[in-house]
């Protein structure tokens, strides 16, 4: 049983070591870097393997534990990684899987029918990037174990006991290597919860039990309804127009599953998965579903006389408003556009998906005429609104063409036109706007004051939003256009910074602005141009020194630093307007001193939920969000 020692100098071992070394030298190539995102990727990679077992129908329970020392255990009740000798290498299959790149599920006869391993590097990459790792396999009535350091076996595959009768499975525990993942990184509970929830939705019937021993939190995910439950979950703060339409069908070894439901919302929430991977760039499954939905609705509306002969067909856009839908395909040989871009390319998937969706959705409309009527009515309204919006937009565009490059009168522009250096401060209120204008560095900082509460963009439609004065000023200042016409190339400022008071009104305005940017200028957020300014909460003066506190903790730290003896004057800033231009510059606008929060969208699904909840009619969830709002943004020191 000392296979690995005996053979450690043969060609295959040397290859293995070179492979693992390559992973350690260039983690970016294998897990996308050494930052927090890559760190979470390690867990996903291991859990993906267990999900594969579930997809193969061999496992229905996955347990993930984060231990206090940040080591992670992933355990499943699958068949267990084979431990018998792998003929080509003369080593136990377990060792080969753990130490050879891309060895994944290609072992042990059965193999996987469907593999989620988009990242494809397999658990060996995780092993290579771990300070230590241990795998325990229950199989054939016995328990086996092997341990590793930085990817290298430090024990043989040992038989350490008897497995309880009938039990099989795999338990992997790893501790990421802090010499590779540097800088005090830690696993984020919320991020993992999000991911496991999604995995459980698209792998119906699997239970994922997640325990965070660091904080004693835990969560169990099991969705009897799979993606049907997913749609209900996404719509839990919206008014549905009908029950969820759902179907699953396997054609030529490819399983197509979809679920859809229209609600009274104005926005669309559509997600596509391929072998449980969230294909954020869509692909043939998504195209197939979208085209089938539009075609089916047109066919039905014509037949039912709901579209007159003189009416044009609904466009794809007309059938999107208020649509929540998931399509999930399981394919034995998925083709992705590239390593990083998550887009499914298999052409046959489009045909099969369209077929399954048309069939099921068509039948649903026939059998549920009142639901059908409500959906068609929604599409008609949407079509009309779009027409009105186009007119309004044309008007805005024509007008702005007429007025050539007229910038809004309230904008105090900067002198530099180098968009890599310039900044636009969107400031709440005229008085703070005045201070910002005086305090700024006019060379690269522009200021646009906005009055009052701009439109609540979730509730309003594009045509209405475009006619709003404040929004118009904002759009022309940015220069990008909006919605379909948005062009980031024309962005006039490298950073767009929202600066509002640290009170309820300020947070409301900030949310409204974020909603607007999220809905109509998404690339601005995606490409990292959007920021939130951090004005101080307190000014602390002692003798001839002044400190600024940006948080309560800051304040306490400063007061402790000053000590008891001195006479201190503490001023609480209730608004930006209370600062004079010089103070505003020093505390909030000067790149040398300020802190900006960069707005990111970790997960469009969650953001979508949060925004619609916030603006929706239900009050309690909205209040909760405003209270925890600061978590939406990532801290960024500039
Ligand atoms: C190769 C072949 C078989 C199962 C597995 C790998 C397997 C891998 C992992 C990774 C985590 N959990 C896992 N569970 C199973 C099939 C073996 C058979 O046919 O019995």
């Amino acid at each position: 049983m000392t296979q690995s020692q005996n053979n450690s100098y043969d060609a295959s071992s040397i290859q293995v070591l070179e492979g693992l070394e390559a992973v350690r030298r260039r983690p970016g190539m294998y897990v996308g870097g050494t930052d927090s995102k890559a760190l979470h990727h390690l867990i996903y990679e291991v859990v993906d393997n267990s999900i594969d077992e579930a997809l193969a129908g061999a496992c229905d329970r996955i347990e993930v534990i984060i231990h206090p020392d940040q080591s992670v255990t992933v355990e499943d009740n699958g068949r267990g990684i084979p431990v018998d000798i792998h003929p080509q290498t003369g080593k136990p299959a377990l060792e080969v899987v753990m130490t050879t790149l891309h060895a994944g599920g290609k072992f042990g006869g059965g193999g996987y029918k469907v593999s989620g391993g988009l990242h494809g590097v397999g658990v060996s990459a995780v092993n290579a990037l771990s300070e230590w790792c241990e795998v325990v396999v229950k199989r054939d009535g016995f328990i086996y174990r092997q341990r590793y350091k930085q990817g290298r076996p430090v024990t043989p595959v040992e038989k350490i006991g008897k497995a309880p009768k009938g039990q099989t499975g795999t338990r992997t525990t790893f501790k990421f290597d802090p010499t590779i993942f540097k800088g005090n990184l830690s696993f984020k509970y919320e991020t993992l919860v999000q991911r496991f929830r999604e995995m459980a939705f698209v792998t119906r019937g699997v239970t994922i039990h997640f325990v965070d021993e660091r904080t004693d939190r835990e969560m169990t995910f099991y969705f009897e309804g799979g993606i049907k439950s997913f749609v209900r979950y996404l719509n839990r703060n919206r008014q549905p127009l009908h029950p969820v339409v759902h179907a699953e069908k396997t054609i030529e070894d490819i399983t197509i599953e979809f679920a859809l439901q229209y609600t009274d919302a104005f926005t669309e929430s559509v997600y596509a998965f391929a072998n449980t991977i969230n294909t954020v760039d869509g692909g043939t499954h998504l195209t197939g579903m979208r085209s089938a939905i539009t075609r089916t609705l047109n066919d039905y509306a014509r037949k039912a006389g709901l579209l007159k002969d003189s009416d044009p067909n609904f466009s794809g856009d007309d059938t999107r408003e208020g649509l929540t839908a998931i399509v999930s395909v399981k394919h034995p040989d998925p083709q992705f556009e590239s390593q990083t871009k998550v887009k499914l390319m298999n052409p046959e998937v489009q045909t099969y998906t369209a077929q399954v969706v048309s069939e099921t959705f068509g039948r649903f409309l026939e059998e549920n005429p009142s639901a059908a009527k409500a959906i068609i009515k929604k599409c008609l309204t949407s079509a009309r609104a779009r027409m009105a919006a186009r007119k309004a937009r044309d008007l805005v565009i024509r007008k702005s063409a007429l007025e050539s490059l007229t910038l809004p009168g309230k904008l105090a522009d900067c002198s530099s036109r180098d968009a890599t250096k310039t900044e636009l401060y969107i400031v709440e209120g005229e008085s703070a706007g005045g201070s910002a204008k005086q305090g700024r560095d006019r060379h690269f900082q522009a200021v646009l004051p906005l009055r009052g509460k701009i439109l609540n963009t979730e509730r309003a439609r594009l045509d209405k939003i475009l006619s709003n004065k404040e929004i118009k000023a904002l759009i022309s200042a940015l220069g990008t256009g909006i919605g379909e016409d948005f062009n980031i190339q024309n962005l006039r400022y490298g950073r767009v910074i929202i600066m509002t008071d640290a009170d309820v009104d300020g947070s409301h305005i900030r949310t409204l602005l974020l909603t607007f940017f999220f809905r109509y200028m998404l690339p601005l957020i995606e490409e990292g141009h959007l920021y939130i300014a951090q004005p101080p909460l307190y000014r602390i003066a002692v003798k001839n020194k002044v400190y600024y506190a940006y948080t309560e903790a800051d304040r306490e730290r400063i007061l402790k630093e000053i000590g008891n003896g001195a006479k201190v004057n503490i001023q609480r800033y209730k608004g930006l307007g209370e600062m004079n231009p010089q103070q505003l510059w020093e505390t909030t606008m000067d790149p040398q001193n300020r802190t900006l929060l960069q707005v990111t969208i970790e997960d469009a699904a969650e953001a979508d939920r949060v925004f619609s909840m916030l603006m929706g009619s239900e009050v309690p969830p909205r209040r909760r969000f405003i209270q925890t709002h600061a978590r939406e943004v990532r801290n960024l020191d500039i």
Side-chain angles (χ1 to χ4, degrees):
M1 286 306 280
T2 51
Q3 209 66 42
S4 60
Q5 274 93 337
N6 288 345
N7 290 343
S8 54
Y9 291 106
D10 72 11
S12 66
S13 291
I14 290 168
Q15 247 175 0
V16 163
L17 294 184
E18 279 172 355
L20 297 179
E21 225 8 79
V23 178
R24 292 181 59 81
R25 247 195 335 266
R26 308 186 63 187
M29 293 261 301
Y30 300 88
V31 291
T34 57
D35 57 359
S36 167
K37 198 170 163 195
L39 185 69
H40 288 75
H41 218 100
L42 301 183
I43 300 188
Y44 304 154
E45 192 65 52
V46 180
V47 177
D48 274 355
N49 285 297
S50 299
I51 289 281
D52 279 347
E53 264 308 89
L55 290 176
C59 144
D60 66 1
R61 191 173 167 87
I62 301 171
E63 172 124 355
V64 184
I65 306 166
I66 304 186
H67 303 288
D69 67 350
Q70 298 235 66
S71 61
V72 178
T73 295
V74 178
E75 178 164 15
D76 67 53
N77 63 350
R79 291 164 293 185
I81 302 180
V83 290
D84 48 334
I85 299 298
H86 177 245
Q88 276 107 19
T89 55
K91 292 178 187 173
L94 170 61
E95 180 170 333
V96 178
V97 167
M98 293 306 294
T99 56
T100 318
L101 288 177
H102 307 286
K106 295 191 189 93
F107 292 90
Y112 306 140
K113 222 169 127 217
V114 171
S115 175
L118 150 86
H119 324 98
V121 293
V123 72
S124 60
V126 178
N127 191 17
L129 298 173
S130 294
E131 182 182 313
W132 56 264
C133 177
E134 174 188 281
V135 182
V136 175
V137 170
K138 280 183 280 184
R139 205 178 150 88
D140 309 326
F142 293 101
I143 305 178
Y144 303 88
R145 181 185 65 198
Q146 187 168 39
R147 292 185 170 140
Y148 318 83
K149 282 209 159 81
Q150 301 190 330
R152 296 186 164 101
V154 291
T155 72
V157 174
E158 294 172 297
K159 195 184 263 186
I160 56 168
K162 282 197 174 152
K165 202 167 165 46
Q167 278 195 22
T168 57
T170 305
R171 185 177 80 212
T172 308
T173 305
F174 69 94
K175 165 74 182 70
F176 69 84
D177 190 336
T179 65
I180 289 183
F181 297 93
K182 296 193 194 84
N184 240 335
L185 296 176
S186 75
F187 293 111
K188 290 200 188 94
Y189 182 76
E190 299 298 337
T191 305
L192 292 166
V193 156
Q194 183 71 29
R195 172 77 176 213
F196 297 148
R197 178 187 292 124
E198 207 171 271
M199 283 177 156
F201 274 134
V202 297
T203 320
R204 182 182 33 211
V206 78
T207 298
I208 302 181
H209 180 214
F210 174 37
V211 180
D212 188 343
E213 291 181 346
R214 300 170 304 177
T215 51
D216 258 333
R217 279 183 290 186
E218 66 179 298
M219 196 87 101
T220 304
F221 301 104
Y222 166 82
F223 301 105
E224 188 114 22
I227 61 170
K228 200 168 163 179
S229 311
F230 202 164
V231 166
R232 282 197 205 107
Y233 170 80
L234 289 167
N235 285 343
R236 69 194 181 286
N237 292 314
R238 300 171 177 147
Q239 273 308 317
L241 302 184
H242 58 87
V244 178
V245 182
H246 170 265
E248 178 174 355
K249 196 170 173 182
T250 303
I251 309 174
E252 307 265 341
D253 269 355
I254 303 164
T255 302
I256 314 277
E257 189 185 2
F258 83 96
L260 74 81
Q261 184 176 46
Y262 278 91
T263 70
D264 65 348
F266 293 123
T267 48
E268 178 201 44
S269 311
V270 173
Y271 303 96
F273 296 83
N275 295 356
T276 77
I277 293 153
N278 185 346
T279 36
V280 289
D281 291 333
T284 47
H285 47 348
L286 185 59
T287 314
M289 177 171 73
R290 279 199 200 286
S291 61
I293 291 173
T294 305
R295 183 154 24 85
T296 307
L297 283 171
N298 272 313
D299 288 352
Y300 180 87
R302 291 272 171 223
K303 249 191 6 221
L306 297 168
L307 269 180
K308 304 273 169 307
D309 288 345
S310 57
D311 291 331
N313 266 347
F314 293 130
S315 70
D317 285 334
D318 298 336
T319 60
R320 280 179 191 193
E321 210 170 277
L323 173 66
T324 301
I326 312 281
V327 59
S328 168
V329 305
K330 312 266 165 70
H331 198 296
D333 181 26
Q335 306 292 317
F336 293 102
E337 187 183 55
S338 71
Q339 277 289 122
T340 46
K341 286 238 171 138
V342 240
K343 185 171 181 181
L344 185 70
M345 302 303 280
N346 304 61
E348 72 282 7
V349 169
Q350 187 164 331
T351 320
Y352 297 159
T353 308
Q355 191 182 318
V356 174
V357 174
S358 294
E359 240 172 62
T360 310
F361 191 37
R363 187 163 1 101
F364 171 83
L365 295 176
E366 295 292 345
E367 290 171 1
N368 300 274
S370 63
K373 221 185 232 156
I375 298 172
I376 302 282
K377 198 172 143 215
K378 178 97 184 150
C379 297
L380 278 169
T381 321
S382 161
R384 280 183 205 123
R386 197 173 325 286
M387 210 114 73
R390 193 167 305 130
K391 277 192 198 141
R393 192 167 54 219
D394 287 352
L395 207 72
V396 171
I397 292 166
R398 227 176 305 133
K399 231 165 130 190
S400 64
L402 265 179
E403 296 160 1
S404 73
L405 293 168
T406 41
L407 290 166
K410 299 196 298 181
L411 174 74
D413 212 357
C414 50
S415 55
S416 166
R417 283 274 55 87
D418 178 355
T420 62
K421 299 201 173 62
T422 54
E423 303 179 339
L424 175 68
Y425 275 85
I426 304 169
V427 187
E428 168 189 2
E430 302 287 347
S431 93
S435 290
K437 281 180 187 179
Q438 287 174 51
R440 70 189 167 133
D441 180 335
R442 60 189 63 231
H443 185 64
F444 70 98
Q445 291 178 320
V447 173
L448 180 69
L450 291 185
R451 190 167 340 129
K453 294 193 181 180
I454 58 162
L455 266 180
N456 177 334
T457 41
E458 165 86 10
R459 293 254 131 198
R461 290 171 178 284
L462 194 60
D463 49 341
K464 224 162 133 200
I465 287 165
L466 278 167
S467 59
N468 178 272
K469 222 172 73 197
E470 305 292 313
I471 290 285
K472 269 192 199 160
L474 183 56
I475 298 167
S476 43
L478 293 176
T480 53
I482 70 167
E484 293 152 39
D485 297 329
F486 183 88
N487 183 355
I488 196 96
Q489 302 296 322
N490 297 336
L491 183 63
R492 300 178 63 249
Y493 308 94
R495 293 197 177 111
V496 178
I497 303 163
I498 300 171
M499 186 158 74
T500 53
D501 289 341
D503 60 8
V504 176
D505 273 358
S507 115
H508 194 186
I509 290 171
R510 186 170 62 229
T511 305
L512 292 173
L513 284 168
L514 286 174
T515 309
F516 169 74
F517 286 121
F518 176 73
R519 297 280 181 229
Y520 301 107
M521 296 192 175
L522 191 58
L524 192 82
I525 303 178
E526 287 173 332
E527 296 182 26
H529 293 288
L530 191 59
Y531 297 85
I532 292 174
Q534 289 292 95
L537 294 178
Y538 299 98
R539 179 177 189 274
I540 302 170
V542 53
K543 291 197 200 119
N544 47 9
K545 256 187 117 155
V546 174
Y547 302 83
Y548 294 102
Y550 292 83
T551 60
E552 295 298 333
D554 247 7
R555 185 182 78 131
E556 273 159 39
R557 183 183 50 75
I558 292 167
L559 288 178
K560 217 185 234 155
E561 222 176 271
I562 294 169
N564 287 331
K567 187 171 164 285
V568 237
N569 182 333
I570 305 179
Q571 180 189 0
R572 189 191 159 91
Y573 288 126
K574 283 185 219 73
L576 298 163
E578 292 177 13
M579 273 182 265
N580 66 37
Q582 182 60 24
Q583 288 170 341
L584 192 58
W585 162 255
E586 280 172 12
T587 60
T588 316
M589 298 179 78
D590 178 1
Q592 301 296 320
N593 292 329
R594 73 183 177 191
T595 305
L596 293 181
L597 298 178
Q598 185 172 38
V599 179
T600 64
I601 297 177
E602 288 293 340
D603 187 326
E606 192 57 15
D608 178 72
R609 182 186 74 74
V610 167
F611 277 110
S612 58
M613 168 196 68
L614 185 62
M615 299 301 153
S617 41
E618 291 190 43
V619 175
R622 181 187 329 187
R623 181 165 323 125
R624 207 161 47 234
F625 173 78
I626 290 178
Q627 282 159 0
T628 56
H629 185 234
R631 280 201 240 135
E632 273 299 289
V633 287
R634 176 160 64 84
N635 202 347
L636 190 101
D637 293 309
I638 291 179

